[in-house]
């Protein structure tokens, strides 16, 4: 289909983007366009203005930020995958970015777009939730920082308000004690996850401490799995109760019941893989 008419402006700086997006309530930012363009074509999204932020090189970076790594919102999935700081200090993020879609998607899609789009089938939101990461939201009036727990509100719904823009994402640096895994089940090599699992913990006294397990596509938002986390910490089978508190969809990729089964299996496997690291 052909999109509904819209005005189009190219932002030359973050300040310029905020000014352009702030002057119309239904304006939308265009980053990699891999989700927004299809939504425009299907007329699911009908913004009267697009603000193209795809050329803002100032928002494409990975930086050492002390105990954290800071990732600019316009950093493409391929750059996240290939980044040496992330590979060394938070490899779950670079590894997951390398499992997104196919090379074309990874060359265009951005971490900011992936989070702001609020698709429960996206991979990086669940990883950010497991890591208790942070998101900076800038507006003409200033910047606010949200934890991942407060960022995802529902299907295609996030805390990004009118006139706001994700500018930076921060994740913690791992210590030598950290163990982790990201697994996803998909019907074909390049498909979205039917279900995905991010698992992170620290080795401690022969077991693990601070276990965090988060799901892709087991509800309206990325979800933590508290029962599985408690089982992991206790040395019990984390898979047995992994789907507790989830509300998976039924669609052409699988029924809710199948997703619950996948969640239990994938959590067991992810924890086994993490424990082996
Ligand atoms: P856009 O499409 O440009 O924007 C998406 C939404 O976010 C829009 O509403 C836009 O206004 C908003 N937005 C963008 N940037 C910002 C910002 N900085 N601040 C505030 N709002 C912003 N993802 C996965 O996780 N796993 C997969 O396996 C996967 N497979 C894919 C396969 C295909 C064929 C395609 C087309 C996409 C796939 N994706 C997958 C999604 C892809 O990862 C994109 O990253 C994601 O669609 C959105 O990023 P984008 O930069 O393209 O955002």
């Amino acid at each position: 289909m052909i999109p509904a008419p819209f005005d189009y402006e190219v932002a030359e700086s973050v300040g310029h983007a905020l000014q352009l997006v702030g002057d119309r309530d239904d304006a939308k930012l265009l980053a990699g366009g891999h989700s927004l363009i299809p939504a425009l074509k299907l007329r699911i999204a009908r913004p009267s203005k697009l603000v193209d932020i795809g050329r803002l090189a100032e928002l494409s970076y990975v930086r050492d930020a002390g105990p954290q790594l800071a990732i600019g919102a316009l950093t493409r999935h391929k750059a996240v995958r290939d980044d040496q700081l992330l590979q060394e200090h938070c490899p779950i993020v670079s590894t997951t970015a390398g499992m997104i879609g196919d090379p074309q998607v990874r060359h265009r899609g951005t971490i900011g777009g992936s989070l702001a789009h609020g698709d429960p089938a996206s991979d990086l939101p669940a990883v950010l939730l497991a890591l208790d990461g942070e998101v900076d939201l800038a507006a003409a009036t200033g910047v606010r920082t949200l934890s991942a727990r407060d960022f995802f509100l529902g299907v295609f719904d996030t805390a990004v308000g009118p006139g706001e823009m994700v500018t930076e994402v921060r994740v913690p640096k791992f210590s030598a004690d950290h163990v982790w895994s990201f697994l996803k089940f998909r019907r074909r090599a390049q498909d979205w996850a039917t279900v995905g699992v991010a698992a992170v913990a620290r080795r401690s006294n022969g077991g693990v401490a601070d276990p965090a397990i988060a799901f892709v596509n087991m509800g309206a938002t990325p979800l933590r799995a508290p029962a599985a986390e408690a089982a992991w910490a206790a040395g019990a089978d984390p898979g047995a109760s992994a789907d507790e508190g989830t509300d998976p969809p039924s669609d052409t990729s699988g029924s809710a019941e199948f997703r619950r089964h996948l969640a239990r299996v994938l959590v067991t496997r992810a924890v086994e893989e993490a424990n082996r690291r």
Side-chain angles (χ1 to χ4, degrees):
M1 273 181 53
I2 296 171
F6 54 82
D7 296 334
Y8 173 82
E9 308 243 30
V10 177
E12 278 154 20
S13 66
V14 172
H16 188 211
L18 292 174
Q19 180 199 324
L20 291 172
V21 81
D23 70 10
R24 219 180 287 175
D25 267 0
D26 72 338
K28 281 244 170 228
L29 296 165
L30 176 67
H34 262 162
S35 294
L36 184 53
I37 301 285
L40 293 174
K41 286 185 168 177
L42 292 168
R43 300 202 175 195
I44 298 166
R46 300 175 68 124
S48 67
K49 176 157 95 171
L50 284 192
V51 176
D52 190 341
I53 55 172
R55 292 164 221 189
L56 293 183
E58 65 188 285
L59 285 186
S60 177
Y61 59 83
V62 179
R63 281 188 203 130
D64 194 320
Q68 297 174 308
L69 293 177
I71 310 170
L74 258 290
T75 314
R76 316 247 173 209
H77 303 320
K78 180 186 181 298
V80 170
R81 184 196 69 176
D82 294 345
D83 185 80
Q84 289 196 346
L85 276 175
L86 284 165
Q87 287 174 2
E88 188 177 340
H89 297 293
C90 200
I92 190 172
V93 174
S94 48
T95 301
T96 302
M99 294 165 72
I100 292 174
D102 54 32
Q104 283 172 306
V105 173
R106 293 195 291 272
H107 274 88
R108 292 299 305 164
T110 64
I111 190 166
S114 195
L115 301 178
H117 192 51
D119 186 339
S122 289
D123 301 319
L124 289 170
V127 171
L128 195 73
L129 186 65
L131 292 171
D132 244 337
E134 293 176 340
V135 183
D136 278 354
L137 282 173
T141 47
V143 179
R144 62 187 178 121
T145 298
L146 294 185
S147 83
R149 281 179 189 265
D150 298 326
F151 185 80
F152 303 102
L153 303 181
V155 179
F156 302 127
D157 189 13
T158 68
V160 182
E164 282 190 316
M165 173 175 169
V166 176
T167 49
E168 187 173 279
V169 180
R170 285 182 299 280
V171 293
K173 278 189 197 162
F174 284 179
S175 67
D177 295 331
H178 272 91
V179 296
W180 60 275
S181 173
F182 180 80
L183 297 178
K184 66 178 178 179
F185 179 90
R186 44 191 167 173
R187 295 191 308 164
R188 295 166 305 179
Q190 292 151 357
D191 276 352
W192 298 77
T194 305
V195 174
V197 172
V200 182
R202 279 186 306 108
R203 264 195 200 94
S204 173
N205 298 325
V208 297
D210 303 330
I213 296 175
F215 283 122
V216 178
N217 229 353
M218 285 296 288
T221 62
L223 291 177
R224 288 282 287 262
E229 292 170 355
W232 191 7
D237 175 10
S241 50
D243 59 318
E244 243 181 68
T246 62
D247 184 18
S250 284
D251 56 30
T252 50
S253 294
S255 64
E257 194 187 342
F258 179 51
R259 283 194 161 91
R260 287 183 181 281
H261 167 74
L262 282 177
R264 295 192 290 268
V265 171
L266 288 176
V267 164
T268 300
R269 290 184 187 169
V271 167
E272 280 172 5
E273 182 174 84
N275 286 338
R276 278 198 306 272
R277 279 189 203 277

